[in-house]
Amino acid sequence: MQVSDPKRLSVPPDYPYQNVVDIVSRSDEMLAGEDYAHYLDVGLSALANVALALKGRTSPASILDMPCGHGRVTRALKAAFPDSALFVSDIDSDSVDFCARTFGAHGLASQPDFRTLDFGRRFDLIWVGSLITHLPADVIKDFFRFVLRHLTEGGVAVVSMHGSYVAGRIVASLLQGGEAYGVDNVAGWRMVDGFFASGFGYANYPTTDLSVQRYGVALATGRWTCKTVRRCGGEIVFYQEHAWDRHHDVLAFARPSGDRQQ
Ligand SMILES: C[S@@+](CC[C@H](N)C(=O)[O-])C[C@H]1O[C@@H](n2cnc3c(N)ncnc32)[C@H](O)[C@@H]1O
């Protein structure tokens, strides 16, 4: 076997989408310890949140998965919505190229500054798995505005965030002198203090190259996240605690009807 040979997932016979693409990138960091069953479940959990957000809406003609990574959720979206036009975006070009090639998606390059990012079209469904979980508050606001600019009227965004459940896990680790999702103990406590004082806390990873973008761990209460979306012009569809993979909170929001936002 060549090192460049693709890895293949073993899809259990009871997996509801037997049409799921089983090719996995060797660079997919989300396939920790080769736990294929959990990897596939994370995709199904994303679909369950998407289904709730789409209730009462027409099936999406266009879907954006951003950040796509190496397609952990893209493959589930492709399997569940085979007739939708699928778009993928990430700041990592290898991820975008892999997903475009493997899932027949349209690849779109992202960048650190969402204020000037323009894909030149809108989407009926935007899935955002684990991006704002890594961003500081001002960048999250820019990202929410970016999403609202890219939603069709009647479209919906489904976005994961670290909420109170993750805050509890982090506090438990810090109390034992441990780290916080990759952030060291001192910076972790500063982040947790921010979370309890204002509803939002953030710390860069020690390895973050700040000349590229600020990137680390963000924690927010549901109240902070919903208030921030509303201030950016969005309408909350739902907020559910630890609803993605029993881990991240999930927020769904839309453009208010009649909104003429550009
Ligand atoms: C934790 S991974 C999640 C990937 C994927 N959504 C999943 O669940 O498997 C975070 C991803 O965000 C991407 N990313 C970081 N900054 C970004 C940006 N400014 N725009 C788009 N993607 C970004 C990273 O390259 C990485 O693929």
Side-chain angles (χ1 to χ4, degrees), residues 30 66-69 72-73 90-92 95 110-112 114 129-131 134 213 215 244:
M30 297 298 138
M66 176 177 179
C68 56
R72 180 170 56 156
V73 173
D90 201 285
I91 203 163
D92 174 44
S95 300
S110 185
Q111 62 184 38
F114 298 114
S130 202
L131 177 60
H134 298 290
Q213 67 173 348
Y215 196 71
W244 184 32

Side-chain angles (χ1 to χ4, degrees), residues 188-215:
W189 276 119
R190 225 178 294 128
M191 169 174 69
V192 164
D193 285 349
F195 171 80
F196 285 116
S198 70
F200 184 86
Y202 173 80
N204 288 313
Y205 288 130
T207 51
T208 295
D209 179 353
L210 294 174
S211 67
V212 179
Q213 67 173 348
R214 286 169 291 155
Y215 196 71

Side-chain angles (χ1 to χ4, degrees), residues 28-31 39 42 65-74 89-93 95-96 108-114 117 119 127-135 139 143 160 205 213-215 244 248:
D28 193 338
E29 292 175 1
M30 297 298 138
L31 189 50
Y39 182 91
V42 173
D65 180 5
M66 176 177 179
C68 56
H70 283 89
R72 180 170 56 156
V73 173
T74 320
S89 182
D90 201 285
I91 203 163
D92 174 44
S93 58
S95 300
V96 176
L108 299 165
S110 185
Q111 62 184 38
D113 189 348
F114 298 114
L117 186 58
F119 289 156
W127 163 257
V128 183
S130 202
L131 177 60
I132 66 167
T133 46
H134 298 290
L135 300 177
V139 183
F143 183 72
S160 86
Y205 288 130
Q213 67 173 348
R214 286 169 291 155
Y215 196 71
W244 184 32
H248 290 190

